[in-house]
Amino acid sequence: MRAFKGYVVFFVCVAILALSAPCLGSPVGIRYNRWHVHVVNNLSAGQTLFAHCKSKDDDLGERNLAPGTEFNWSFKENFSGTTLYWCYMSTGQKHAALDVFWVEGEHSWLQYRCNWKDCIWIAKDDGIYIKIIPENRDEFSHKWEV
């Protein structure tokens, strides 16, 4: 009987862990939700934006974005909480390299701007901006390098 109780306790603990794991670490109790990253060309004068985005595991390829178009992808955070995507962008003689998604712990700088699901990075003439979705405004993030 004692061995049987041990198995029951073990299985109950495993079930609780399996059900609660997706709820750890997120402001609304859901972790590992689907994220979307957008790279938008908002350059003036018909300038094409070159974008090459990747993670440690996925190379998303090189893209030439016409004015007013975007490149986007979606994914779920990995179980270990180390998901990271970055992009290299250029137009003419200007270029920038930046992280476009990372998993945050205590702070929610990126999560807030992305409204916990959509990170929108916008290339403009003076640099790269991130859309602060809850405030419906663009915030300057990275200056173009020459």
Side-chain angles (χ1 to χ4, degrees):
M1 185 69 169
R2 186 178 286 210
F4 178 72
K5 285 182 182 177
Y7 285 120
V8 170
V9 169
F10 172 77
F11 286 117
V12 168
C13 289
V14 168
I16 290 170
L17 245 148
L19 292 172
S20 65
C23 299
L24 301 174
S26 140
V28 291
I30 300 172
R31 189 166 176 160
Y32 313 115
N33 59 327
R34 182 156 293 279
W35 287 90
H36 306 272
V37 175
H38 306 257
V39 175
V40 180
N41 180 354
N42 197 21
L43 297 165
S44 65
Q47 299 175 72
T48 299
L49 175 69
F50 171 82
H52 186 192
C53 301
K54 57 186 356 183
S55 72
K56 182 180 85 167
D57 301 317
D58 298 309
D59 186 333
L60 303 173
E62 299 176 353
R63 311 291 172 127
N64 288 299
L65 302 176
T69 64
E70 73 170 59
F71 164 53
N72 63 72
W73 68 96
S74 64
F75 58 92
K76 288 188 175 187
E77 295 175 29
N78 62 26
F79 185 74
S80 59
T82 59
T83 304
L84 172 67
Y85 281 92
W86 62 92
C87 293
Y88 170 81
M89 299 179 217
S90 66
T91 181
Q93 299 299 314
K94 303 181 291 189
H95 60 93
L98 61 143
D99 293 345
V100 294
F101 179 84
W102 57 93
V103 176
E104 296 177 301
E106 294 178 23
H107 306 288
S108 58
W109 184 91
L110 184 68
Q111 293 173 347
Y112 173 73
R113 283 156 178 75
C114 300
N115 202 27
W116 284 272
K117 61 183 174 185
D118 286 299
C119 299
I120 303 172
W121 296 92
I122 306 161
K124 297 185 181 186
D125 292 335
D126 59 338
I128 309 296
Y129 289 71
I130 185 169
K131 166 91 53 201
I132 304 176
I133 294 172
E135 300 173 19
N136 194 30
R137 68 179 181 90
D138 302 340
E139 178 180 72
F140 183 80
S141 177
H142 290 77
K143 186 175 181 179
W144 290 113
E145 296 179 34
V146 183

